[in-house]
Amino acid sequence: MSDSLGSGPAAAPAPPPQTTLRRRLAELRGPTVAPHPLDARALAALAANPGCRRRALLDGAGVDKAALATALGSPGPFGQSQFAFMRGNAFEAKVKADGGTELMRLVAERLGGAAPPPAPGEVLVPDLSAAGPEGRVARTALALREATEAGGWALLDHPLLALEVAGSPAYLEPDAVVVRPDGLWTVVEIKSFPMIDGSADAAKVGAAARQSAVYALALERVALRTGGAEVGHRVLLVCPKDFSNLPTASVVDVRKQLSVTRRQLARLTRIEEIAAALPEGTTFDVERCSGAELTSAVEAVSAAYAPECLAACELAFHCRSAARADGAVEALGRGVRGELGGLAELGGPAVLAAARGEAGDPADPTVATLRRAAALRAEALAAARRPPSADAGDAAEAVLEAVPCR
């Protein structure tokens, strides 16, 4: 009897959960499609809209959203032009020339604190090359620990950091990280937009601050395992001065952005939960699927569209068209959505019906405001269509005749 119980073949061990997730994500983007990297800019946009399960899944799976938008028939002018990309690379090379002498001068001048500025040749510039992203992340962590223990100035050029987002790893590459003798790590962000009279475009500075906050958040993970290390909440933004190509710098405090990014990324639904809710066989493989199949796959994942997405997501035009077709109030903006209160839950058609007086409680302040706004709009349109009176024309001619010629 004992022989018969043990005669069956041994069951194969189940694959680790992480391996299963990677296989599932590879199936979603296509088995022959290389994963699209998730950078700090995308993470900052994702943190600004954590309720969008569609973007969380597509970014986590490494789907090229620009190619997907084109296949859906809704491409958008998103991303940097080739000229801007080349100009940015040329300016960054100028800032980091000669072992980062000019960059370290700006760091010491703006953020040096009590530490004396480094003399030429005193700055450690470690080699961060390694095989694969995991190797580069490990090499970066080792270089940060060695520089902190050495107690001197160090410049890490394009280090690679890892950050887990909704259960999926993301690899981030800041322009530079500076280690001071006191163990403070500072993120350096180099941009090609100008800084005129000491200030730059507020929207671009805000985007750079959110991007730098993602880098600082990833650095914190390494600093927790490094004795005597601390990540600075002030980052150095380096830009061209006025209309020249000379570098200048400004200090940006990212404590607010860091707090918001940490909280919003923690709110993201884990990717495996989103993937598990999809119909069997769902894929976003642009090389093998038709436009109709891709549309069905995209619509199977809920989105949280807002007008701000137009500046941050390649799929924004597709999501906007779908939101307008569904009469979603969110297409008008989060501010309008908040002002409408409970009416927004009923959708755009119900809001229009309330404004026309066809539905809604007249005692509701929101309904009363909508009807008043509709009445004012009708009056304005009626006044615009009304032809000017003869009396008004005669008065205008009298005024012109009364003005002496000069």
Side-chain angles (χ1 to χ4, degrees):
M1 182 179 293
S2 60
D3 292 340
S4 62
L5 290 175
S7 60
Q18 190 66 24
T19 303
T20 304
L21 175 61
R22 290 181 180 177
R23 184 185 303 121
R24 177 62 175 138
L25 296 182
E27 293 172 354
L28 287 175
R29 68 173 176 268
T32 62
V33 180
H36 194 71
L38 181 61
D39 57 12
R41 185 175 300 174
L43 276 183
L46 189 58
N49 192 8
C52 187
R53 298 164 67 92
R54 181 177 297 171
R55 172 152 196 169
L57 178 66
L58 294 176
D59 283 346
V63 176
D64 187 348
K65 296 195 298 297
L68 180 59
T70 302
L72 292 172
S74 302
F78 188 84
Q80 267 189 330
S81 67
Q82 189 66 22
F83 173 75
F85 184 76
M86 295 174 61
R87 182 181 60 186
N89 285 346
F91 178 70
E92 182 178 341
K94 180 180 180 66
V95 171
K96 295 179 179 178
D98 300 325
T101 302
E102 180 65 16
L103 175 57
M104 296 305 294
R105 182 191 68 80
L106 292 172
V107 172
E109 177 184 305
R110 305 286 183 173
L111 294 167
E122 287 186 355
V123 180
L124 175 66
V125 184
D127 181 14
L128 303 178
S129 59
E134 292 86 357
R136 288 187 59 196
V137 168
R139 182 69 189 91
T140 296
L142 178 61
L144 285 168
R145 286 194 292 268
E146 291 176 347
T148 304
E149 294 171 357
W153 289 92
L155 171 63
L156 278 69
D157 185 6
H158 282 287
L160 194 66
L161 308 169
L163 183 65
E164 184 175 303
V165 180
S168 180
Y171 297 104
L172 313 171
E173 189 175 353
D175 294 329
V177 173
V178 172
V179 179
R180 290 194 334 194
D182 56 2
L184 186 69
W185 300 352
T186 300
V187 174
V188 177
E189 188 68 11
I190 303 174
K191 297 295 185 182
S192 59
F193 55 81
M195 193 174 294
I196 302 174
D197 293 334
S199 62
D201 182 84
K204 294 180 179 180
V205 173
R210 291 188 294 271
Q211 189 174 339
S212 299
V214 175
Y215 296 138
L217 188 61
L219 272 177
E220 287 181 352
R221 305 295 191 270
V222 185
L224 290 175
R225 302 188 299 269
T226 305
E230 180 185 359
V231 180
H233 58 78
R234 297 192 300 166
V235 305
L236 191 72
L237 178 62
V238 182
C239 300
K241 183 178 181 180
D242 297 330
F243 300 101
S244 68
N245 202 34
L246 299 176
T248 187
S250 176
V251 177
V252 181
D253 193 322
V254 297
R255 277 179 292 186
K256 178 181 178 181
Q257 290 84 355
L258 189 59
S259 175
V260 171
T261 302
R262 185 185 293 110
R263 181 175 67 253
Q264 298 290 63
L265 290 181
R267 289 178 53 197
L268 287 173
T269 306
R270 296 186 67 84
I271 293 175
E272 56 263 33
E273 298 178 13
I274 304 175
L278 294 177
E280 188 68 26
T282 300
T283 179
F284 306 98
D285 191 347
V286 296
E287 298 180 357
R288 299 186 178 184
C289 297
S290 64
E293 292 171 333
L294 291 174
T295 300
S296 177
V298 168
E299 296 304 322
V301 192
S302 62
Y305 172 77
E308 294 85 352
C309 297
L310 293 174
C313 183
E314 296 88 340
L315 281 178
F317 287 91
H318 174 81
C319 297
R320 182 180 65 175
S321 300
R324 288 177 172 176
D326 294 340
V329 177
E330 289 78 6
L332 301 176
R334 294 189 178 97
V336 175
R337 166 65 180 83
E339 291 290 339
L340 290 174
L343 280 177
E345 304 294 340
L346 303 176
V351 174
L352 293 177
R356 291 192 295 261
E358 300 170 356
D361 183 4
D364 189 336
T366 303
V367 174
T369 303
L370 283 172
R371 293 182 179 178
R372 176 59 178 160
L376 292 175
R377 179 177 182 272
E379 292 178 7
L381 291 176
R385 289 192 294 264
R386 187 183 304 129
S389 64
D391 295 340
D394 295 342
E397 291 180 3
V399 171
L400 291 177
E401 292 175 356
V403 177
C405 296
R406 295 183 180 273

